Amino acid sequence: MEQVFSYIIGLGAAVMMPVIFTILGLCIGIKFGKALKSGLLVGVGFVGLSVVTALLTSSMGGPLKTITEIYGLDLGIFDMGWPAAAAVAYNTTVGAFIIPVCLGVNILLLLLRATSTINIDLWNYWHFAFIGAVVFYATDSIGYGFLAAAACFVITLVMADLTTKKFQSYYKDLDGISIPQPFCQSFVPFAEVLNRGMDKIPGMKKMDIDAEGMKKKFGVLGEPLFLGVVVGVLIGCLSCRGFSEIVEKIPSILGLGIKMGAVMELIPRITSLFIEGLKPIAEATKELVSKKFKNSAGINIGMSPALVIGHPSTLVVSLLLIPATILLAVVLPGNRFLPLASLAGMFYVFPAVLPVTKGNVLKTFIIGLVSMTIGLYLVTDLAPWFTQAAQDVYERTADAAVAIPEGFEGGSLDFASSIFSWLIFHCIHDFKLVGSALLVALTTVMAIFNRRRIIKASINTNR
């Protein structure tokens, strides 16, 4: 099974997802032509995102490395990015069985009415497999590994249910869709607490500026395209040693600005492909679920957060947070991680946060700063165990994606900054049986609470 999933992960999301969604479409009754088109559109969307995010990381990587050299920064955790984390996740026993295990848990919770989400975002199951794999390597116990993965899955499903109402209210064209992805949902607790705190600050409610408001107030200067150019130019200037070098490198500095502007402009266009491809699958899945499950009104289809990362507010705040996170990595005492390859994951921080702040750019940016501050420390803390897992996978597979340069540890902002992953890992690793019992109790309480909430909402709807 590990060899099978090693082969599948080698195909990449752009190949794997069209196959999965074409087969899924046929299984739920969509005609072959329509199912194939949906799958191909999703695959094309992944290709587009890969090209754009590669443009982001390749363009920013050189200047940011130069900045670290200019200012003598010593950050010993190498940014592996999400491909390394996915490779570690799926190249283990936990990863080999993660899809059937999680789907089984999902169906059980649906039957018990302990969730109203059916998660068909199969590719992103690697997030659950990853925490399971790291726990497996740290404890040398496959049981603990599967417990960690299942616990993360249940917690994420409940969080997706709790955030669905605000999510669908904010993203008007995504009725019946939720985002059961742990990286996105892990930032919601920060968002809820900080948003309520900021509302109590005098004058903060009046500073309600969203991306559309910025466009109206500042014209072209408030558009994500222009902000991308400005941030790219500023980073290009900071990577120069003195004014004379800035003058000498004007062409490359302007080129970096244009590339950053291109990233901000192209991502919304690419995400429209995801919406076009996934909507028929979501609609057919919901129709099938309504036939097979009693009391299925209110069932939501769990989809990839890629559906909404093209939102203007997401783009604006993500772009502003990229240089801010680099600065945090430099100045935070005790942090040893400099995000480079993970910068593309910055767009995935906010899909579940924006509905909480109602798109307020200032609030969302502050929440992002706090989340990334904590996230950098979490990456630093988990680096030894990620390194152990990555080295073992590399020895067995020789997969270049998990090759860590000599003298470095490995890490990635895309998964390790998730508070869910960090808490689950330390709960099991540090306290073994006691921690596992507490984790089982927590997920059980969450499931029971969610079941009561769902039943109560159903009764109120039927009155």
Side-chain angles (χ1 to χ4, degrees):
M1 287 295 291
E2 287 181 22
Q3 291 177 346
V4 169
F5 273 84
S6 177
Y7 177 78
I8 291 173
I9 193 69
L11 297 176
V15 176
M16 182 180 172
M17 295 310 286
V19 173
I20 287 175
F21 280 107
T22 301
I23 295 174
L24 180 61
L26 292 173
C27 291
I28 59 180
I30 298 177
K31 291 182 179 180
F32 176 74
K34 190 174 181 180
L36 178 62
K37 183 179 179 181
S38 291
L40 290 175
L41 283 172
V42 174
V44 170
F46 270 106
V47 170
L49 273 184
S50 297
V51 171
V52 173
T53 53
L55 175 65
L56 173 67
T57 52
S58 63
S59 300
M60 296 282 268
L64 290 175
K65 286 181 181 178
T66 303
I67 290 172
T68 62
E69 293 171 2
I70 291 173
Y71 297 100
L73 306 177
D74 183 19
L75 300 167
I77 299 176
F78 183 76
D79 187 358
M80 304 290 290
W82 72 264
V88 169
Y90 279 129
N91 279 291
T92 63
T93 305
V94 177
F97 293 97
I98 196 65
I99 291 178
V101 166
C102 286
L103 282 176
V105 171
N106 200 161
I107 292 171
L108 176 63
L109 292 177
L110 281 170
L111 292 172
L112 294 173
R113 299 186 72 184
T115 185
S116 56
T117 292
I118 179 166
N119 186 358
I120 64 172
D121 183 19
L122 301 182
W123 170 258
N124 278 320
Y125 276 32
W126 74 260
H127 286 268
F128 310 114
F130 175 80
I131 184 57
V134 175
V135 168
F136 166 59
Y137 280 106
T139 63
D140 197 28
S141 168
I142 189 64
Y144 282 143
F146 276 115
L147 173 62
C152 188
F153 187 76
V154 173
I155 292 170
T156 304
L157 278 180
V158 174
M159 288 298 300
D161 289 339
L162 294 175
T163 58
T164 293
K165 186 175 180 180
K166 286 184 178 180
F167 178 84
Q168 294 176 1
S169 176
Y170 184 74
Y171 300 104
K172 302 296 184 182
D173 57 344
L174 294 179
D175 185 46
I177 303 296
S178 65
I179 304 294
Q181 205 253 36
F183 182 67
C184 295
Q185 293 295 339
S186 67
F187 298 108
V188 173
F190 296 119
E192 291 286 358
V193 173
L194 292 172
N195 187 61
R196 291 179 185 178
M198 286 185 284
D199 281 342
K200 295 180 181 179
I201 300 174
M204 179 61 77
K205 287 187 177 181
K206 295 181 180 179
M207 300 178 69
D208 186 10
I209 305 174
D210 60 9
E212 293 301 322
M214 290 178 66
K215 287 183 182 180
K216 293 177 182 177
K217 188 171 183 178
F218 301 107
V220 68
L221 302 182
E223 292 193 12
L225 170 61
F226 181 79
L227 291 174
V229 174
V230 171
V231 171
V233 169
L234 287 175
I235 290 175
C237 291
L238 288 172
S239 67
C240 296
R241 295 176 174 85
F243 181 75
S244 59
E245 188 173 346
I246 291 177
V247 174
E248 181 182 340
K249 291 187 175 180
I250 283 178
S252 61
I253 291 172
L254 294 177
L256 180 60
I258 294 298
K259 289 176 183 177
M260 292 305 97
V263 169
M264 303 301 284
E265 185 68 19
L266 291 174
I267 284 180
R269 300 173 188 264
I270 292 169
T271 54
S272 66
L273 294 173
F274 281 102
I275 294 174
E276 186 179 349
L278 290 173
K279 267 203 166 182
I281 300 291
E283 290 170 357
T285 303
K286 194 162 187 176
E287 184 178 341
L288 179 65
V289 169
S290 67
K291 292 178 181 178
K292 298 296 182 181
F293 289 91
K294 294 180 179 179
N295 302 311
S296 63
I299 291 290
N300 296 294
I301 308 303
M303 289 289 194
S304 169
L307 283 171
V308 295
I309 65 169
H311 191 279
S313 292
T314 293
L315 295 174
V316 169
V317 181
S318 299
L319 183 67
L320 295 175
L321 199 59
I322 286 173
T325 302
I326 301 299
L327 179 61
L328 286 173
V330 171
V331 301
L332 288 176
N335 173 63
R336 299 178 52 242
F337 175 72
L338 178 67
L340 293 174
S342 296
L343 292 177
M346 203 68 70
F347 297 99
Y348 293 88
V349 173
F350 301 110
V353 172
L354 285 173
V356 176
T357 64
K358 298 180 180 178
N360 187 306
V361 171
L362 177 60
K363 284 183 177 181
T364 309
F365 179 71
I366 293 172
I367 290 169
L369 279 179
V370 174
S371 300
M372 288 300 99
T373 298
I374 296 171
L376 289 171
Y377 284 121
L378 299 187
V379 176
T380 299
D381 181 69
L382 289 179
W385 292 282
F386 173 74
T387 302
Q388 177 187 350
Q391 288 174 341
D392 184 84
V393 170
Y394 181 73
E395 288 176 5
R396 292 189 291 107
T397 67
D399 187 343
V402 295
I404 300 173
E406 188 176 350
F408 284 87
E409 290 183 298
S412 174
L413 201 65
D414 303 65
F415 65 87
S417 62
S418 166
I419 192 69
F420 294 170
S421 298
W422 185 84
L423 287 173
I424 290 170
F425 174 84
H426 280 289
C427 194
I428 296 177
H429 177 262
D430 297 351
F431 303 103
K432 299 295 188 298
L433 288 175
V434 174
S436 299
L438 288 173
L439 200 56
V440 170
L442 172 65
T443 52
T444 301
V445 169
M446 290 183 70
I448 292 172
F449 164 79
N450 202 38
R451 182 178 187 275
R452 290 178 177 174
R453 187 188 61 82
I454 291 170
I455 292 174
K456 184 178 179 180
S458 177
I459 293 173
N460 291 335
T461 300
N462 293 331
R463 280 179 180 174

